[in-house]
Amino acid sequence: MAQTICLIPGDGIGPAITEATKHVLAAAGADLEWVELPAGAAAAEKHGDVLPRQTIEAIEHHRIALKGPLTTPIGKGFGSVNVRLRKTFNLYVAVRPVRSMPGIQTRYDDVELVVMRENTEGLYSGLEHQIIPGVIETLRITTQAGCERIAKYAFKYAKERGRRKVTLFHKANIMKMADGLFIECARRMHEQFGAGIEYEELIIDNGCMQIVRDPSRFDVLLLENFNGDVVSDLCAGLVGGLGVVPGANIGDDCAIFEAVHGSAPDIAGQGIANPLALIMSAVMMLNHIGQTTPAEKIKQAYNAVLGDGKREELTRDIGGTAGTMEFAEALTRRM
Ligand code: NAI
């Protein structure tokens, strides 16, 4: 029976890359039924809410979604719908594999790491207020339960996937209590669930320097929400940019798959966005629901297209001249 997937096309480049992704999934023979749902700026205009009730109810019911990027206004306006979705469905870990891709020229050719970002608390709690004019207080929330569940997930993931090491990035020299708790929980989870997995802790500024010097020394990175957000984009820069890094937001009984990148307003509507990050996120989704054959087909197809390196088949961000749909067509030709 076809698996029902909630689809949020999103804002900016979202509709174009979700269309391309659906095309590739269909060509690979993925057995899916789509329920398209509104969210984001477009939903506010049409349904009077950036996250309409019908969208929440459908995800509650079907438990799996593929999502395009959603715009969050800067410095004013409504709060992030992405953050609301992650909190509503308790999607406590963002899993973001970052790897060197065939044919994409970068300074490194041996990146093979996974960013694990805590997804529900930390500096992303969204709790801010003005104490007096000119003085703003932002609260960072850190709970033992939140730290333990992401650390446990990281060690279990490392074991199941045959990975060798988990590195926790922190700033416990300054945030002694919050990051102190994160470290304490991770050490405990390592003892309980990390047998055979190496565990290390690095102060985040040093960690960033080390990633840029030699990313191959890293395997699984374990990070608080805000730090994970920043380091995800840093890592994307090691392998060719945001067009090639997928992601999954995972909870105990629900998962939403999305690329790491945003709605890219600077290129929206031009038909030139790279759909690969969302296509790779969809591959993660197919593996998650057990449709491994189409997942493998798509993986082989994009590796072949990237490896061939024909400019007319690659999007501009990775050195080509193709549009969003032309890239998707190149993939389907390889299947
Ligand atoms: P962004 O990720 O949208 O764009 C950063 C840069 O990368 C831009 O130059 C853009 O053109 C490029 N880029 C991103 N995705 C690309 C793709 N698929 N193909 C080719 N080039 C691509 O980040 P930015 O500009 O900081 O944020 C724009 C909006 O997106 C904001 O409203 C932000 O809140 C939102 N956002 C949403 C996310 C989500 O829905 N999960 C994640 C990150 C940002």
Side-chain angles (χ1 to χ4, degrees):
M1 210 174 82
Q3 167 84 47
T4 303
I5 307 288
C6 298
L7 180 73
I8 298 175
D11 301 317
I13 61 171
I17 59 171
T18 44
E19 206 45 50
T21 301
K22 273 170 76 179
H23 182 66
V24 169
L25 288 166
D31 194 10
L32 307 173
E33 202 167 280
W34 300 101
V35 179
E36 195 166 316
L37 299 164
E45 278 167 34
K46 225 172 151 186
H47 302 268
D49 189 354
V50 285
L51 186 56
R53 186 80 230 143
Q54 69 188 91
T55 301
I56 294 179
E57 283 172 4
I59 300 175
E60 244 162 26
H61 182 70
H62 297 295
R63 304 267 150 210
I64 304 275
L66 182 68
K67 186 187 134 319
L70 295 170
T71 297
T72 310
I74 292 173
K76 57 180 169 45
F78 59 84
S80 167
V81 181
N82 300 309
V83 173
R84 262 174 78 190
L85 281 168
R86 292 166 194 163
K87 283 186 177 168
T88 303
F89 296 105
N90 227 347
L91 307 172
Y92 60 85
V93 53
V95 180
R96 298 167 162 187
V98 182
R99 53 178 69 98
S100 299
M101 307 292 284
I104 299 185
Q105 300 298 322
T106 66
R107 289 184 179 81
Y108 314 94
D109 55 11
D110 52 0
V111 183
E112 175 52 82
L113 54 85
V114 182
V115 175
M116 297 259 166
R117 166 186 176 185
E118 202 292 322
N119 230 4
T120 54
E121 49 182 46
L123 255 185
Y124 262 68
S125 60
L127 297 170
E128 289 191 311
H129 65 120
Q130 178 176 272
I131 301 173
I132 52 167
V135 183
I136 305 297
E137 186 172 50
T138 302
L139 299 179
R140 173 180 164 181
I141 304 297
T142 307
T143 67
Q144 181 180 335
C147 293
E148 280 184 355
R149 65 182 179 180
I150 172 106
K152 177 178 167 186
Y153 189 95
F155 288 114
K156 288 184 86 172
Y157 178 99
K159 265 185 126 167
E160 282 162 15
R161 312 276 170 137
R163 292 195 168 257
R164 63 180 201 286
K165 180 163 82 171
V166 172
T167 305
L168 180 147
F169 279 12
H170 66 86
K171 194 74 183 174
N173 47 336
I174 305 298
M175 278 162 274
K176 295 177 194 296
M177 293 183 74
D179 271 346
L181 177 62
F182 190 22
I183 285 176
E184 200 185 293
C185 292
R187 287 180 187 167
R188 211 167 33 246
M189 291 303 106
H190 180 229
E191 267 174 37
Q192 287 178 30
F193 302 99
I197 304 290
E198 196 187 327
Y199 170 61
E200 69 172 344
E201 294 158 2
L202 289 178
I203 295 180
I204 187 162
D205 33 355
N206 172 31
C208 288
M209 181 275 290
Q210 304 245 13
I211 292 181
V212 174
R213 280 190 75 178
D214 178 15
S216 69
R217 85 184 265 311
F218 293 101
D219 193 350
V220 176
L221 299 181
L222 175 57
L223 298 121
E224 175 274 337
N225 203 340
F226 176 80
N227 292 339
D229 181 40
V230 175
V231 171
S232 294
D233 278 35
L234 181 147
C235 289
L238 306 173
V239 296
L242 289 163
V244 299
V245 179
N249 300 299
I250 310 266
D252 286 333
D253 50 11
C254 182
I256 300 182
F257 296 80
E258 64 174 339
V260 168
H261 64 71
S263 54
D266 53 339
I267 56 166
Q270 298 176 34
I272 58 171
N274 187 351
L276 183 54
L278 189 64
I279 292 169
M280 292 166 79
S281 308
V283 167
M284 291 174 80
M285 179 186 79
L286 289 176
N287 284 325
H288 183 83
I289 60 175
Q291 293 195 25
T292 52
T293 305
E296 193 52 37
K297 237 180 180 174
I298 298 171
K299 220 168 142 185
Q300 282 180 14
Y302 67 66
N303 281 331
V305 170
L306 297 178
D308 288 352
K310 292 184 190 153
R311 290 195 73 222
E312 66 277 16
E313 288 188 336
L314 303 174
T315 49
R316 289 167 204 212
D317 57 308
I318 50 174
T321 56
T324 306
M325 213 53 191
E326 285 167 324
F327 176 79
E329 291 291 357
L331 257 62
T332 60
R333 279 198 295 278
R334 300 301 201 289
M335 287 177 196

